């Protein structure tokens, strides 16, 4: 017999409420992302993950990674050498917007498995690798601040605080990644087109930028839904 939908929802909500150690960091991350002031102050963390996605795909596809720049307006750019067309450059441009939510989902799996400390050390390692490729002063400061905070919590914080911090970062990447895609879509509707990842992909593939933006949105939303199930709803 099929389950009663109301009972399923009620059970899910009760399961979520029974996990305040996951729910509270999620609500904090949601507030940070939704409130414009705190979002502007923290959005660079999403940009670091975004540019890291470009850099990773550039290396994986055999392109030469020449540097990453992060700017105070929360934008960023990844420079690489190689052909100006073909699968490699398409994959490089494709890697940016999905990177924050996919990292968040990977972190959610680690936290749910009781490995928040591992997630923090892996994040520290990724930030260290990113730091090697940063080519401007603001970018160095931003990555050092993020890496220092992550390493400090991983090394010195008590277990409960490590878990809470890792969980908050996971939620921030998931929700912030979704908001970043939303900003991309809003900007394109307002006529700000030309240099975004979606527009670059449109020029490279002939598929409209709107389709690429929609794909970014679907990937970010799917990652968030899966993470909600992993962290809050799974029995």
């Amino acid at each position: 017999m099929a389950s009663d939908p109301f009972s399923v929802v009620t059970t899910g909500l009760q399961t979520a409420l029974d996990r305040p150690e996951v729910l509270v960091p999620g609500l904090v991350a949601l507030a940070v992302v939704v409130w414009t002031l705190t979002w502007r102050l923290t959005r660079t963390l999403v940009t670091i993950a975004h540019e890291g996605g470009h850099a990773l795909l550039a290396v994986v596809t055999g392109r030469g990674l020449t540097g990453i720049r992060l700017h105070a307006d929360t934008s960023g750019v990844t420079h690489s050498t190689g052909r100006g067309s073909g699968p490699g450059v398409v994959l490089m441009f494709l890697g940016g917007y999905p990177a924050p939510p996919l990292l968040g989902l990977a972190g959610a799996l680690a936290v749910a498995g009781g490995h928040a400390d591992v997630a923090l050390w892996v994040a520290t390692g990724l930030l260290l690798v990113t730091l090697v490729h940063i080519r401007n002063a603001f970018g160095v400061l931003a990555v050092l601040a993020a890496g220092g905070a992550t390493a400090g919590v991983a090394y010195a914080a008590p277990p409960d605080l490590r878990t809470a911090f890792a969980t908050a970062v996971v939620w921030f990447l998931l929700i912030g990644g979704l908001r970043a895609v939303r900003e991309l879509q809003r900007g394109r509707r307002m006529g700000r087109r030309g240099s975004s990842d979606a527009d670059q992909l449109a020029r490279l593939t002939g598929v409209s930028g709107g389709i690429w933006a929609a794909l970014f949105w679907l990937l970010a939303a799917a990652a968030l839904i899966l993470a909600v199930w992993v962290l809050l709803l799974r029995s």
Side-chain angles (χ1 to χ4, degrees):
M1 181 181 295
S3 300
D4 178 11
F6 180 77
S7 298
V8 171
V9 172
T10 302
T11 301
L13 288 174
Q14 186 59 54
T15 302
L17 292 172
D18 288 341
R19 295 172 178 170
E21 72 282 1
V22 175
L23 184 60
V24 172
L27 293 174
V28 171
L30 177 62
V32 169
V33 172
V34 170
W35 190 21
T36 301
L37 176 61
T38 50
W39 173 240
R40 288 175 179 170
L41 292 173
T42 57
R43 192 189 188 284
T44 297
L45 297 175
V46 172
T47 304
I48 292 171
H50 178 113
E51 298 305 328
H54 285 314
L56 175 63
L57 268 295
V59 172
V60 167
T61 58
R63 299 180 63 81
L65 178 62
T66 57
I68 300 170
R69 299 178 72 86
L70 304 170
H71 303 130
D73 64 357
T74 74
S75 65
V77 61
T78 297
H79 297 285
S80 67
T81 59
R83 290 182 56 194
S85 61
V89 70
V90 170
L91 287 172
M92 185 192 73
F93 280 115
L94 187 59
Y97 280 99
L102 291 179
L103 280 173
L105 178 58
L109 292 169
V111 169
H115 303 296
D117 53 342
V118 174
L120 291 175
W121 283 118
V122 169
T124 301
L126 291 174
L127 287 165
L128 181 60
V129 171
T130 301
L131 180 64
V132 173
H133 298 284
I134 296 294
R135 296 294 181 265
N136 68 320
F138 177 82
V140 169
L141 290 174
V143 175
L144 279 176
T150 304
V153 172
Y155 177 75
D160 288 348
L161 182 56
R162 287 201 302 267
T163 300
F165 181 82
T167 306
V169 171
V170 163
W171 284 123
F172 178 80
L173 289 172
L174 289 160
I175 303 169
L178 195 62
R179 174 161 181 173
V181 176
R182 181 62 176 167
E183 290 176 343
L184 167 68
Q185 293 176 317
R186 184 184 301 114
R188 298 191 78 259
R189 284 199 300 270
M190 295 175 64
R192 296 195 297 269
R193 305 183 184 187
S195 60
S196 73
D197 293 354
D199 295 307
Q200 298 279 13
L201 286 165
R203 282 192 286 271
L204 288 165
T205 64
V207 178
S208 75
I211 297 296
W212 289 110
L215 176 62
F216 295 154
W217 172 265
L218 288 174
L219 290 173
L224 178 58
I225 291 168
L226 285 172
V228 168
W229 179 76
V230 166
L231 291 172
L232 287 175
L233 302 181
R234 185 172 58 174
S235 301

